[in-house]
Amino acid sequence: MTGPLAPTPTLELLRAAAELCGPAAQRLFAVLAEDYPASLERRPGQLLRAADATAADLDGLLAAAGVASTDDLRLLAAREVGLRLAEPDLRFTSREPQSEPRERSALRRMITAEEDNLHRTLTDLQANGALEVAAAALLRARRRWVLGDLKSAGYASLLTSDLTSSMRDVFLVQPATGAAVNAISDAHADDALVVFSFRNYSRLTVDVAREFHALGASVIALTDSYTSPVCSFASHVLAVDTRSESPHHSPTAVTAAAHVLAALAAAGAKGAARRSRRRAEVFRSLGSYGLGRPAADTGAGISGTVGGTPDTCPPDTPDSLASPASPRDGHPPAR
């Protein structure tokens, strides 16, 4: 491009949208208009840095102008001026010590790899029925235990949160020897254990899976290969593709597979919808929602037991908080 072209309808539309959206949008428009339409050949991140704006500012400007994305804006501008605009150079410089000096890798290739991981993993798990069978094992279990060590501790926490919202007796095992010993001591043959195990494999995770397997409990393993050490003790293996362009394994398909597993279990859990509604009511009563706004009805209090199980306590039969004088302790109620 030799220089900026005369204003076009699209540029004028962006100008009007920027005036509506405020100073940040106006700075973005100034950066775009400086050498429009050649400015659209720059990466969105470069535009944001030049305008000292955020991604939300750019999204707001495009939405106000009736454009879905910068890609659509570039195509629209190209049609108006009759020129072919090159796609932005989505490259970055890798500074990892083990990489080649100043190795240039494509951001688009990384995004494509993550999309492929997600599609391949979920397609395979659907085709072989592993997700459905594992969800059924969770439903049949008397108690559900979840364990992840190292980076997998985050996956375990996310899955525990999803499972807890729809069913009771879900326990997160902290990745420590003491917590693992307590879990193994309390475990039963009717329980189920979900473990996350990826390279480099955690010895603690494999040992806990072995002990649960020896008890006769169902072990559900989310792992990166059918040859991983934990598979020897797993009743159900959910193989997840974790290949990545970065030095670390990809979490994209791992979190998606765990989420689908929790969703399938919730779909078959008796009283899951009631439990979810009850949890939302308790959270609102505690003021946990709404950024500190007071609950709508502060005089009603919290019905039911805070740590209770709505599956066995219908919403229309509120239970009082446990106290030394409650019937559940075997003492007559105080009068």
Side-chain angles (χ1 to χ4, degrees), residues 66-185:
V67 182
S69 65
T70 53
D71 289 339
D72 290 343
L73 180 62
R74 185 173 62 256
L75 294 175
L76 183 60
R79 284 197 298 266
E80 285 185 338
V81 301
L83 297 172
R84 184 179 182 277
L85 299 177
E87 293 188 2
D89 181 15
L90 299 180
R91 294 185 295 174
F92 66 94
T93 300
S94 174
R95 304 184 187 276
E96 292 293 333
Q98 64 270 26
S99 66
E100 294 296 327
R102 292 291 184 266
E103 178 188 359
R104 310 286 297 182
S105 300
L107 176 59
R108 189 180 302 281
R109 188 170 69 245
M110 293 188 66
I111 295 175
T112 301
E114 296 301 320
E115 293 174 342
D116 291 343
N117 281 352
L118 181 61
H119 180 267
R120 185 163 44 245
T121 296
L122 295 184
T123 299
D124 290 346
L125 292 177
Q126 179 186 17
N128 61 23
L131 279 169
E132 298 177 37
V133 176
L138 281 176
L139 284 173
R140 291 193 305 267
R142 187 178 70 171
R143 288 178 296 185
R144 298 96 181 170
W145 308 82
V146 185
L147 171 64
D149 195 8
L150 305 175
K151 182 178 178 178
S152 297
Y155 307 144
S157 180
L158 286 173
L159 178 60
T160 301
S161 179
D162 282 351
L163 291 176
T164 303
S165 66
S166 59
M167 57 183 62
R168 56 182 178 174
D169 296 328
V170 179
F171 305 97
L172 174 64
V173 182
Q174 296 298 328
T177 302
V181 169
N182 291 338
I184 295 170
S185 302

Side-chain angles (χ1 to χ4, degrees), residues 8-65:
T8 66
T10 300
L11 190 60
E12 293 302 318
L13 186 61
L14 286 172
R15 184 196 306 276
E19 293 176 356
L20 292 175
C21 294
Q26 292 171 9
R27 294 195 300 271
L28 275 170
F29 171 76
V31 171
L32 287 168
E34 184 177 356
D35 58 347
Y36 181 87
S39 57
L40 296 176
E41 296 179 343
R42 302 169 66 184
R43 295 195 305 272
Q46 292 175 317
L47 299 175
L48 295 179
R49 287 193 295 269
D52 190 22
T54 66
D57 298 326
L58 179 58
D59 288 342
L61 174 63
L62 295 176

